[in-house]
Amino acid sequence: MPVLLALDQGTSSSRAIVFDESGTALAMAQQEFHQSYPQPGWVEHDALEIWHTQLDCARRALASAGLSARDVAAIGIANQRETTVLWDRRSGQPIAPAIVWQDRRTVPACEALRTAGHAALIRVRSGLELDAYFSATKLAWLLDHIPDARRRAEAGELAFGTIDSWLVWQLTGGRRHVTDPSNASRTMLFDIHRQCWDDALLALFDIPRALLPEVVPTSAVIGETDPALFGAAIPIGGLAGDQQAATFGQACHAPGSAKNTYGTGCFLMLNTGTQPVTSTNRLLTTLGWQLGCNAPATYMLEGSVFIGGAVVRWLRDGLGIIQQTDDVEALAASVPDTNGAVLVPAFAGLGAPYWDGTARGALVGLTAGVTRAHLARAALDAIALQTVDLVDAMNRDGAGPLAELRADGGAARNNLLLQTQADLLGVPVIRPRQIETTALGAAYFAGLAVGVWQSPAELAAHWRAERIFEPARSDDWRHPRLAEWHRAVERSRDWATG
């Protein structure tokens, strides 16, 4: 029986899952890694720690399944997107910490570009909002602040990549420097219409072309691992940004289907087919996947929330009001509501549909009766309320209304969160049997590349609902809560401007 090894490299942890040909997970390994916050608004990762934890998880997952490298048909990779790594081509060593997608240090650079009138060009070519979220200004910052980096980049001595590129470089012993369209489309340097690196955008951000990886299909054999890593070479058959992989793993293959991933952030993805849809409500137009060299690309309309499940981690690590992230559901469920408290977790600014890099977190409506249980409930409400803003923007773009929302990601295990989401949206929220849809999507891309499966239709037959959360609240309950939320959001905005 062929098996696929999925590497799911996320913002807070690396994991590896072994799947069989029915899409069943046979074994999993996961490891958290260090989050660095060297200055307010800065978020960094150690790229070598990411590589070492990911490799260790892959080896442990295979060992747990009782398998060797020769049993693996292919590896698929899904990765945290936009996070920017710059490394030495000769040594394979990063020359600086990776700048994480949440990092806000380049907000001033983005504002300068906006003032200079470049936002429209960026949106037309890349489909993205001009924001520090994406890779371009992060890479430019590294070139400008690391001694001798720009000269070395222009001389071809350095390589840039998002985490997919970094992992493939390490897996292949430096033989392959590649990315796929889903990741390339998150850099703000890629023309999503012509599907190539864009000279005008490279010039705008002053990025040497010599840094860039080759763009290969999402599903295709693009190399094989160094035999020394696993005991034998394994084909690498799939590369995708985590949200695109989750969308594919959720069987959202047809235009109009949508999923929301409740991970570190929240990411609502709507399949729009082979034609890009331009948002008038500040959502993103992005590439979903390309299944083979000659296949047309699939496009997505996306809404991005910077702080989703990460707010629960903040309750654990920052405030210490829970011991484990799983504790939040019982604590929040111990009270019927937030007792008037509203939490806006704009720790890294606000993403769609606001795109306010100067927003900061706000906790309003406090009275002496607010307890840690009410804060836990406010945190879960904030995740759901931010998602409502995304769905509303998508509906205004004419892409809805949604008939249902498929949910995945670690926080989707939280029943209270998903019931709250259904109540606030007024539509069913569906949790699949296989909650690890990001890793599953990566496995699907790899399996299609090596012939384990023949078509997406075959994969869609594997999808099953585990639980459907039906809305149980009326508009009379819903509308006041949305109005209260938007009042709180307004109080969080423009805070960092002083």
Side-chain angles (χ1 to χ4, degrees):
M1 181 184 296
V3 300
L4 289 307
L5 175 59
L7 308 184
D8 180 5
Q9 204 300 299
T11 307
S12 58
S13 70
S14 297
R15 75 179 76 189
I17 304 180
V18 179
F19 291 97
D20 68 16
E21 62 183 341
S22 70
T24 300
L26 304 178
M28 181 183 82
Q30 182 171 356
Q31 185 174 340
E32 289 192 1
F33 54 86
H34 181 65
Q35 309 289 308
S36 178
Y37 307 99
Q39 295 184 35
W42 290 32
V43 190
E44 296 179 345
H45 288 162
D46 181 338
L48 283 176
E49 185 184 11
I50 285 176
W51 161 237
H52 292 145
T53 56
Q54 188 64 77
L55 177 62
D56 182 60
C57 286
R59 288 170 169 166
R60 287 194 287 121
L62 288 175
S64 179
L67 300 170
S68 72
R70 291 179 175 83
D71 299 311
V72 180
I75 286 175
I77 298 171
N79 58 281
Q80 56 165 313
R81 304 172 302 172
E82 299 94 19
T83 295
T84 300
V85 187
L86 189 61
W87 69 91
D88 184 299
R89 288 182 181 272
R90 180 173 297 178
S91 69
Q93 298 291 304
I95 68 167
I99 302 181
V100 182
W101 58 272
Q102 298 162 313
D103 189 282
R104 308 306 291 169
R105 76 186 65 180
T106 60
V107 167
C110 291
E111 291 308 309
L113 289 165
R114 190 184 317 280
T115 300
H118 298 302
L121 170 67
I122 290 168
R123 170 168 272 286
V124 167
R125 297 285 178 93
S126 72
L128 305 176
E129 288 286 327
L130 172 53
D131 193 82
Y133 174 28
F134 306 105
S135 308
T137 56
K138 302 180 194 301
L139 177 55
W141 189 96
L142 288 169
L143 293 176
D144 290 338
H145 288 81
I146 304 302
D148 208 30
R150 185 167 292 282
R151 181 199 64 78
R152 297 184 66 202
E154 292 169 349
E157 298 174 14
L158 303 180
F160 150 74
T162 42
I163 296 298
D164 59 315
S165 301
W166 169 245
L167 291 179
V168 171
W169 180 281
Q170 297 297 333
L171 286 166
T172 62
R175 289 187 294 273
R176 296 292 280 147
H177 182 209
V178 299
T179 190
D180 90 298
S182 72
N183 280 295
S185 69
R186 311 298 295 187
T187 62
M188 221 155 52
L189 300 171
F190 193 74
D191 186 322
I192 61 170
H193 307 284
R194 296 183 298 130
Q195 295 174 41
C196 63
W197 299 115
D198 186 85
D199 287 332
L201 295 177
L202 292 175
L204 182 62
F205 293 102
D206 197 15
I207 303 298
R209 184 176 279 271
L211 283 172
L212 302 176
E214 175 190 356
V215 181
V216 298
T218 309
S219 177
V221 176
I222 52 88
E224 59 182 24
T225 64
D226 186 324
L229 295 175
F230 299 105
I234 304 174
I236 301 171
L239 294 179
D242 51 10
Q243 302 313 316
Q244 287 90 336
T247 308
F248 200 76
Q250 280 273 42
C252 295
H253 304 149
S257 53
K259 69 86 197 173
N260 194 43
T261 294
Y262 298 85
T264 299
C266 289
F267 302 91
L268 178 67
M269 304 283 281
L270 176 78
N271 186 327
T272 65
T274 57
Q275 296 299 317
V277 172
T278 300
S279 172
T280 58
N281 290 281
R282 307 194 75 184
L283 299 179
L284 307 176
T285 305
T286 197
L287 284 161
W289 50 76
Q290 182 188 16
L291 304 180
C293 296
N294 299 316
T298 295
Y299 289 87
M300 301 279 143
L301 198 60
E302 176 177 346
S304 307
V305 166
F306 296 156
I307 302 295
V311 71
V312 178
R313 185 169 179 158
W314 174 69
L315 295 180
R316 182 193 71 182
D317 299 341
L319 299 186
I321 69 171
I322 53 175
Q323 295 299 310
Q324 306 291 332
T325 55
D326 289 345
D327 296 342
V328 71
E329 183 174 3
L331 181 60
S334 70
V335 292
D337 53 39
T338 68
N339 198 15
V342 182
L343 172 61
V344 182
F347 306 148
L350 289 169
Y354 304 101
W355 296 108
D356 184 350
T358 63
R360 290 296 179 265
L363 181 57
V364 300
L366 294 182
T367 61
V370 172
T371 68
R372 65 191 190 101
H374 296 116
L375 293 184
R377 186 130 194 164
L380 296 185
D381 282 2
I383 298 172
L385 286 159
Q386 289 178 102
T387 299
V388 173
D389 284 345
L390 301 182
V391 172
D392 285 347
M394 212 164 265
N395 289 341
R396 291 196 303 273
D397 277 334
L402 295 181
E404 64 179 34
L405 183 64
R406 296 186 176 186
D408 57 66
R413 295 185 178 91
N414 188 311
N415 294 330
L416 178 58
L417 170 61
L418 294 196
Q419 185 59 57
T420 301
Q421 189 70 84
D423 290 344
L424 287 168
L425 283 176
V427 300
V429 175
I430 305 174
R431 182 170 62 204
R433 289 183 184 176
Q434 177 50 265
I435 198 74
E436 301 292 351
T437 55
T438 300
L440 182 61
Y444 281 166
F445 287 133
L448 286 171
V450 296
V452 173
W453 301 289
Q454 302 304 313
S455 71
E458 186 179 348
L459 302 175
H462 295 160
W463 188 89
R464 295 287 187 278
E466 182 264 326
R467 181 170 172 181
I468 300 175
F469 296 83
E470 296 284 355
R473 299 282 193 167
S474 68
D475 286 346
D476 289 341
W477 174 89
R478 186 178 304 117
H479 292 323
R481 276 147 190 82
L482 293 175
E484 182 181 63
W485 162 252
H486 291 134
R487 286 172 59 211
V489 168
E490 286 307 310
R491 283 156 175 76
S492 78
R493 299 194 65 182
D494 300 319
W495 185 264
T497 59

